[in-house]
Amino acid sequence: MEERFLNPARPDEIVKELFHDNSEVLNEFSGRFSKELLEFAELFSEAYKKYLELNHLIKDTENKQKAYVSGLTYLLLDNLLTSVKLFIMGYEIPSENLMRQVIESVALATLCSLKDKIRIFTKKNITKDIHFYTSFINHKSEAKSFLALKHLEANYDNLGINEAAIESLKKSRTFYHHYSHPGELSMAATISFENTGKSFIGGSFDNGKMSHYKKELVHRINFCKILPNIIEGLIYRIKKLQ
């Protein structure tokens, strides 16, 4: 890869960096992972087609709950696509952080699509029945987005959701959570594994991280594979809403 040298102590070079398109990083990902990126594109398109089926159900309706479910589904699709774009431009930390939002949006959209109440556990471990969508739009503390996966786990059996799917979502969020706060994984994104002592700023591609790059792209591919089924579940539930 053609090396670019940036001196962050010079304001003129920072301005150039702000407007740089990271084409050399994109070219590396395109050349090394074209198969994975094409597979992601094909699977993402299939998931988007399923979203269009969902969105069609809210046309000419005044049901705001249905609209919220559609909006959250669109949000997770946008975040997923943007996450991959950021990743192949070399912006790993914001890319991984967006994936956490994708995972939480799945849980949030599912809970907002429910007609009936769910049972949750409060901070004092007291059970409480709530209609999640109503609590969510009224900004109740028990319906914060970061709690959605916890509530989904507590109710998966009654909702007919596969336990393995819940565990997979939990595992993914736990991993991506590490990129939401400064730590070793975040620091590793700025350090070269190929050349000792070399560090990156403003996005990078590192030959020493090839296996990691492949793993992350495959994870997004596998998520896309199950996304149509997730959206199909949302379609099934919003059809029950008045």
Side-chain angles (χ1 to χ4, degrees), residues 57 71-72 76 94 97 105 110 142 164 168 180 188 192 218 226:
L57 296 176
L72 288 166
L76 78 85
N97 187 266
S105 293
T110 301
E142 68 263 19
S168 178
S180 299
S192 174
V218 168
I226 65 171

Side-chain angles (χ1 to χ4, degrees), residues 154-165:
N155 292 270
Y156 77 89
D157 197 25
N158 291 333
L159 300 177
I161 296 174
N162 188 286
E163 184 179 10

Side-chain angles (χ1 to χ4, degrees), residues 202-217:
S204 63
F205 181 93
D206 183 17
N207 284 316
K209 298 175 182 175
M210 293 290 286
S211 61
H212 169 68
Y213 294 153
K214 184 177 179 67
K215 179 181 177 181
E216 283 303 302
L217 289 172

